[in-house]
Amino acid sequence: MAEYWYYADGFEERVQEQLHNNPEAEVDLDFAIPEKDFNTAGKGSSELKNLLKRLGVDSDVLRRIAVASYEAEINVAAHSKGGVMKSAVHDDLIHVRFEDDGPGIADIEQAMIPGYSTADDLVRELGFGAGLGLPNIKKNSDAMHIVSDIGSSTLLEFFIFFG
Amino acid sequence: MIKLTEYLTAINGINHTPALDPDAVEIHGAYVSDMLSDVMGSAKPDEAWITIMKHLNVIAVASMTGIPVIIFAKGNTPDAAVCDKALEESISLVSSTLSTFELAGILYNLLRS
Ligand SMILES: Nc1ncnc2c1ncn2[C@@H]1O[C@H](COP(=O)(O)OP(=O)(O)O)[C@@H](O)[C@H]1O
Ligand SMILES: [Mg+2]
């Protein structure tokens, strides 16, 4: 099983502490993401964005969360057999997990390279498939974690702190 | 800064979301791209977006990125479902027969003058 971690400067300890303490979330929000359904993909991110807006999350932070989450949702719809998006809203951060039913990522380091894409024609016609989704998630997150392998499922999670 | 009203006139554009007042939409700059992840990665919030893509996901991209107005080039016209979704998200939709190059050039000149 291959694993990839990215931490923005100074966030490793905060994220590990969060994972270690595993506190109960203020709000949990779960959505199914069916394969190749690009109208359903995006619902989760949109609801999450509306919820966080109501909770008064700063607009810059909100935008980073929305972009990271939408890219991840599109990836599950575009590249996997479908999966789920599970958001956990805490006092000081949001933790969003995407778990799908495979087929997994053969080489995560390669998948992270801007421009690398295995997207099919349908996905490309929609204007996705520029190979910038994972780099966008990384750019907007305080921490990002991928666990995957070819022939297995993929877990992608990111953490974004509110302050 | 210019108002969307002024730009609509300059490009002979059609406003597909008349319920949103074009006098209340300010344009400070624009991003031109048809690759959705490129827009999410590089467009700045409050920029207009000039594109030929007109399917439903375009509205989601604009909403996530904080884009207040989309300009469809080369006569691309959004369908009713797309316009409804845009209204829901308070995103103005405009179409014009001009090319992306011309649309960007006209806006550039208006913002410069
Ligand atoms: N959930 C996933 N399951 C399988 N492969 C994935 C998944 N997410 C991303 N990938 C792989 O990583 C590549 C790069 O992803 P990304 O940067 O989002 O670009 P794009 O989606 O435009 O192809 C994809 O083309 C695909 O090969
Ligand atoms: Mg992608």
Side-chain angles (χ1 to χ4, degrees), chain A residues 71-72 74-76 78-80 100 102-105 110-113 116-119 123 128-135 137 148 154 156, chain B residues 37:
Chain A
E71 288 283 14
I74 291 295
N75 275 357
V76 171
H79 305 299
S80 87
D100 67 41
I105 302 176
Q110 181 184 42
M112 288 302 302
I113 297 170
Y116 177 82
S117 176
T118 60
V123 172
F128 294 109
L132 293 173
L134 294 175
I137 299 169
S148 188
T154 296
L156 181 152
Chain B
S37 289

Side-chain angles (χ1 to χ4, degrees), chain A residues 130-148:
Chain A
L132 293 173
L134 294 175
N136 273 350
I137 299 169
K138 178 179 172 184
K139 187 163 90 181
N140 285 294
S141 301
D142 293 322
M144 171 184 181
H145 182 212
I146 303 175
V147 184
S148 188

